[in-house]
Amino acid sequence: MSATARETALGDIAASQPVPPFERPDAPRESVTAEFGCDVFNERVMRERLPRDVYKRLRETMSRRAPLNPADADVIANAMKDWAIERGATHYTHWFQPMTGLTAEKHDAFLAPTPDGQVLSEFAGKMLIRGEPDASSFPSGGIRSTFEARGYTAWDPTTPSFLMGEGSGRTLYIPTVFYSYTGEALDRKTPLMRSVDAVSRQALRILRLLGNTTATDVRAMVGAEQEYFLVDRRLYVQRPDLMLCGRTLYGARPAKGQELEDHYFGSIPSRVLAFMQDVERRLFALGIPAHTRHNEVAPGQFEIAPVFEDVNIATDHNMLIMEVLRRTARRHGFACLLHEKPFAGVNGSGKHNNWSLCDSDGNNLLNPGETPMKNAQFLLFLAGVLRAVHKYAINLRIGIIGASNDHRLGANEAPPAILSVYLGESLSSIIKCMAGGSGEEGPKNCPYIEIGVSALPSLPRDVSDRNRTSPFAFTGNKFEFRALGSSQNIATANISLNGAMACALDDIATRLETALAAGTPLNTAIQTLLAELFQEHMPIVFDGNNYSAEWVEEAARRGLPNLTDTVSALEHYSDAEVMAVFSSQGILSDREMASRQEILFEHYAHSIGIEANLALRLGRAVILPAALDYQEHLAKVAERTAALAGEAGVETTYFRRVRGHASGLIGALDVLEALCAEASGKSCAVEKARFARDSLLPAMQACREHADALEGLCRDRDWPLPLYAELLWMY
Ligand code: ADP
Ligand code: MG
């Protein structure tokens, strides 16, 4: 009997060795520090290659967001081109982040033909500053229909350009924002940058009231921890569901999953370690400070975390981390799965978005300070966060939606769809006490803070891991937003976060200004306001187990929204209060939001539509034939045994079990087929999305139940798809 594709793959995998890291001939070899950023057109390169006055003005543009001097563009473009060509580049591309959720690029050569049949290298300032990709096929939610297809990319000098690719055919990547002819945002970076400006504007108002005259802006800082799965590529290519949908649509639970908890923080398998080292090497060259690597909870699951950076840069870097993970995996014979739920029954992957606000003097505004006044500042920003998460919970919820993230949120492994804030015992008791407001001694261990006079007791720093169930946890000097999906562009969650925070700070600043204008002394005004805010927003604070059923009931009593899936969350995107958060802060216009809502409904419906069609195809063309073959084999066995024994035996019972599920699968596939046809006839985006959630998903699940049961009954050797145990444990 010749070996099946599965058997051949397993044999090859058993013999495979770690792949040594890729050595780039042109990279400096001395040390990691010498290599760090060697593919980035960073400040050091700019300083070396630009005339001093041009460099100074560009720095202004980069840090203060002063507009770029157009006369400088040619000089900068030329320096960039020379630097890139020296390092093996032949092409450049404007790199942008359209609403597809991925990045986009179109490469153009630096070469321009001359009349005498030669070529010269050319890259003018205008090519650096603006591009016009043929953009008619990007999602725009009606903003840009094909007859008015113009979309532009504009250079974003606040995040560095870099080189990608290997050897002598590399490409210069220029980060850009993407917008329509009418000036509307078609990407995720434009609103992200607007949200950073908004939160900076409102935070500065508060800093000024507290007497800070030096800070010129406030920036959101983000460190995103990225989870992912690795599966061997030889098995991956035999799973069309992993290849097309990123997750398994069929597959019975393996005998061993994550029960023994022996994978988490376990010793890293050598093939995986070689992969991680290769990834890190590439990330260092791109100036991405990859810092932490470890095994995650599920078998085959791992994590990488860089050091935190300005959110605009952190967003680009997270997109690049995902890209480098995918590309490098291929080199090492793996496929990297970034989907939120590749395997049923074991943990899925998320992204922890560590977020803080930092002023231009380098002070972290979420750091409890040493002095009473610094503490007033900390408490005001803390109150801002509580207000943002409480009052604008739906905006935050919309920032983490997605068909794939629906598999995690609310399941028993990730924070629920209900947003709450974890502060830890000491901080919770402090704000409870202040909410009491009167200056009386609170309960024991509850110090009363008098603004401007007393200081916060020092808070324990190790609060971070005490509550891994919280979607939004205070971890000493930052908040960790844990509900993001592993595949998501972090811009979306941070637009929501910055937008909600800007609104909250706006309100706080206005109330303080009003009190001061009425003659209230500053400390009194702050004290009174904090008491009011802590009282009002106490319901968002929850230090208990977010995974418990009791919390769902308790949260409902507290009036916290529980939007359990993407469609129900998205339906609120057009609520006046939700839109006001973004429009009042100049982050998204009403038209931009309407288009985004439409795009996101469409995206959800398409994602599930693709899954449903593939589930149908795999069920019919791959699983059912194997099951029917085995059923026929069993029929013969049962018939022959009955003939020999003179009566039907257990073989017949076994045959009937297989037949029961095979018939069940045929019936379930027929239902799915009819529903897929019905879905394709729908044109309204909301309707399609609702139909996908309410009809397609349950119909797919019904097919899966029979198919997975058959997997457990049929002969292993003939099963046409690699099994969970093989996908999860072979590396
Ligand atoms: P923890 O274990 O408490 O989650 P880590 O030190 O492991 O904290 O940090 C996790 C992530 O948070 C890293 O990416 C780290 O760089 C980032 N981080 C640390 N401090 C800050 C901060 N002030 N603002 C934003 N992110 C931060
Ligand atoms: Mg963490």
Side-chain angles (χ1 to χ4, degrees):
M1 229 189 288
S2 60
T4 64
R6 253 177 71 211
E7 285 169 340
T8 308
L10 293 176
D12 290 351
I13 295 166
S16 63
Q17 293 295 320
V19 176
F22 176 73
E23 297 288 340
R24 234 188 22 233
D26 61 328
R29 251 318 69 81
E30 308 88 75
S31 66
V32 170
T33 36
E35 255 179 78
F36 190 82
C38 67
D39 285 341
V40 185
F41 192 76
N42 55 23
E43 295 217 19
R44 185 180 48 77
V45 183
M46 290 178 198
R47 212 179 320 116
E48 279 166 18
R49 294 191 174 235
L50 293 175
R52 187 194 287 263
D53 54 329
V54 176
Y55 170 69
K56 250 185 82 188
R57 285 194 294 271
L58 178 57
R59 282 238 29 186
E60 285 290 297
T61 306
M62 286 161 60
S63 54
R64 302 270 159 74
R65 308 242 157 86
L68 184 75
N69 181 347
D72 292 342
D74 277 326
V75 181
I76 299 166
N78 209 44
M80 269 177 150
K81 181 201 69 183
D82 290 346
W83 171 82
I85 289 179
E86 281 165 32
R87 304 191 58 78
T90 53
H91 288 67
Y92 70 93
T93 180
H94 276 198
W95 184 64
F96 55 107
Q97 301 178 18
M99 293 300 291
T100 54
L102 301 169
T103 57
E105 57 196 43
K106 181 192 99 194
H107 299 197
D108 282 307
F110 283 121
L111 299 183
T114 59
D116 58 352
Q118 310 280 309
V119 286
L120 50 81
S121 63
E122 189 195 52
F123 188 54
K126 62 178 196 305
M127 294 149 97
L128 165 67
I129 293 179
R130 198 168 91 156
E132 193 191 331
D134 178 14
S136 53
S137 298
F138 290 105
S140 75
I143 278 191
R144 186 183 33 66
S145 46
T146 33
F147 62 87
E148 42 165 348
R150 269 171 212 276
Y152 297 103
T153 50
W155 178 37
D156 167 15
T158 63
T159 175
S161 297
F162 54 89
L163 291 169
M164 287 276 269
E166 285 156 17
S168 60
R170 309 177 76 199
T171 302
L172 172 66
Y173 281 67
I174 300 160
T176 58
V177 293
F178 182 44
Y179 59 97
S180 73
Y181 182 67
T182 46
E184 274 138 342
L186 296 173
D187 69 349
R188 297 211 144 109
K189 291 297 289 291
T190 308
L192 177 66
M193 290 166 78
R194 292 178 188 154
S195 79
V196 171
D197 288 346
V199 83
S200 175
R201 215 163 37 235
Q202 303 303 343
L204 277 180
R205 279 173 70 196
I206 292 179
L207 293 184
R208 294 284 183 265
L209 291 175
L210 295 177
N212 181 328
T213 52
T214 56
T216 53
D217 63 60
V218 168
R219 295 189 300 170
M221 308 301 289
V222 164
E225 305 166 52
Q226 176 74 48
E227 293 178 346
Y228 61 93
F229 278 86
L230 288 177
V231 297
D232 194 282
R233 213 174 159 76
R234 285 160 283 206
L235 296 169
Y236 171 78
V237 295
Q238 296 183 46
R239 293 285 320 208
D241 45 359
L242 281 182
M243 291 207 296
L244 295 193
C245 304
R247 74 175 179 110
T248 51
L249 300 173
Y250 294 102
R253 309 278 158 99
K256 182 180 175 188
Q258 64 195 44
E259 303 80 0
L260 298 180
E261 296 173 336
D262 49 357
H263 187 70
Y264 189 55
F265 283 13
S267 82
I268 302 175
S270 49
R271 257 183 87 198
V272 175
L273 188 59
F275 158 80
M276 289 174 165
Q277 288 166 336
D278 213 350
V279 166
E280 286 158 7
R281 188 91 182 259
R282 287 158 193 256
L283 293 178
F284 290 157
L286 288 167
I288 300 174
H291 186 73
T292 305
R293 61 186 185 213
H294 62 81
N295 289 6
E296 255 302 326
V297 170
Q301 192 187 29
F302 306 91
E303 179 177 306
I304 181 168
V307 177
F308 67 100
E309 303 174 282
D310 175 291
V311 64
N312 192 25
I313 297 173
T315 299
D316 284 2
H317 282 178
N318 183 253
M319 295 310 274
L320 285 173
I321 287 175
M322 293 195 282
E323 178 77 19
V324 168
L325 284 171
R326 274 190 293 255
R327 287 183 190 223
T328 312
R330 202 181 168 121
R331 203 177 159 265
H332 288 254
F334 292 121
C336 176
L337 310 178
L338 292 162
H339 191 284
E340 282 74 2
K341 193 72 182 176
F343 304 101
V346 297
N347 271 20
S349 300
K351 197 136 56 185
H352 291 178
N353 190 80
N354 294 272
W355 173 91
S356 64
L357 293 176
C358 184
D359 73 16
S360 52
D361 295 325
N363 302 304
N364 177 353
L365 304 180
L366 294 176
N367 202 5
E370 310 264 301
T371 63
M373 224 37 222
K374 275 273 170 344
N375 284 319
Q377 179 181 304
F378 166 70
L379 290 168
L380 279 172
F381 282 93
L382 176 68
V385 172
L386 296 182
R387 185 170 180 80
V389 182
H390 190 205
K391 205 156 177 235
Y392 310 117
I394 296 180
N395 292 76
L396 291 183
R397 179 68 184 88
I398 288 169
I400 50 173
I401 50 149
S404 48
N405 210 22
D406 281 0
H407 295 285
R408 290 175 62 246
L409 296 184
N412 219 23
E413 58 179 78
I418 308 162
L419 284 165
S420 67
V421 179
Y422 169 79
L423 291 179
E425 212 181 316
S426 3
L427 199 50
S428 289
S429 70
I430 288 165
I431 69 154
K432 260 182 216 138
C433 219
M434 294 192 71
S438 60
E440 295 154 21
E441 273 304 312
K444 249 173 68 181
N445 303 327
C446 182
Y448 183 76
I449 311 289
E450 200 174 333
I451 293 302
V453 180
S454 50
L456 283 179
S458 62
L459 299 169
R461 268 306 170 105
D462 62 343
V463 289
S464 60
D465 263 338
R466 291 225 195 117
N467 192 331
R468 289 168 55 88
T469 69
S470 174
F472 207 92
F474 182 65
T475 50
N477 61 359
K478 64 185 189 293
F479 280 89
E480 191 168 340
F481 191 11
R482 294 190 172 124
L484 281 74
S486 50
S487 69
Q488 293 180 325
N489 183 330
I490 61 169
T492 316
N494 285 296
I495 293 165
S496 293
L497 196 46
N498 294 337
M501 188 65 176
C503 266
L505 295 178
D506 188 353
D507 187 54
I508 291 174
T510 305
R511 281 155 80 171
L512 274 183
E513 284 160 2
T514 311
L516 296 183
T520 316
L522 178 66
N523 290 348
T524 317
I526 297 176
Q527 191 93 42
T528 313
L529 181 58
L530 283 176
E532 285 167 17
L533 289 169
F534 288 145
Q535 211 162 50
E536 182 181 351
H537 300 302
M538 199 60 83
I540 198 69
V541 178
F542 180 62
D543 287 356
N545 180 7
N546 283 258
Y547 294 5
S548 69
E550 297 82 68
W551 170 232
V552 176
E553 286 164 26
E554 167 66 17
R557 273 194 295 278
R558 295 187 187 188
L560 305 179
N562 182 10
L563 301 168
T564 52
D565 63 89
T566 293
V567 181
S568 14
L570 257 185
E571 280 174 326
H572 287 284
Y573 202 165
S574 41
D575 292 358
E577 323 74 272
V578 172
M579 289 175 76
V581 173
F582 295 131
S583 58
S584 69
Q585 299 299 323
I587 295 168
L588 287 162
S589 70
D590 289 358
R591 206 165 111 93
E592 286 169 334
M593 280 184 268
S595 84
R596 263 150 225 262
Q597 186 185 33
E598 167 107 3
I599 290 169
L600 294 166
F601 274 130
E602 287 271 355
H603 193 274
Y604 176 89
H606 284 314
S607 310
I608 291 176
I610 291 167
E611 289 184 350
N613 280 293
L614 185 62
L616 179 59
R617 161 104 200 132
L618 276 182
R620 277 267 169 76
V622 177
I623 293 174
L624 198 54
L628 291 178
D629 280 353
Y630 196 60
Q631 177 184 313
E632 186 175 328
H633 167 75
L634 287 179
K636 285 189 192 135
V637 171
E639 192 181 27
R640 187 160 161 69
T641 321
L644 285 173
E647 57 178 356
V650 286
E651 295 81 359
T652 307
T653 318
Y654 192 50
F655 159 77
R656 291 206 182 108
R657 265 182 90 184
V658 170
R659 179 158 187 272
H661 283 298
S663 319
L665 180 57
I666 292 172
L669 288 167
D670 287 346
V671 172
L672 183 59
E673 183 175 25
L675 293 172
C676 284
E678 197 178 336
S680 67
K682 296 195 181 297
S683 56
C684 159
V686 194
E687 232 181 87
K688 274 197 286 190
R690 285 195 198 124
F691 187 78
R693 176 193 61 188
D694 300 333
S695 302
L696 294 181
L697 281 176
M700 286 160 63
Q701 187 55 30
C703 296
R704 179 170 190 157
E705 275 158 25
H706 290 297
D708 291 359
L710 285 165
E711 186 187 315
L713 291 171
C714 292
R715 180 159 49 197
D716 178 82
R717 165 164 224 284
D718 300 328
W719 195 251
L721 295 170
L723 312 183
Y724 264 32
E726 296 161 354
L727 294 165
L728 287 168
W729 290 105
M730 291 294 296
Y731 41 78

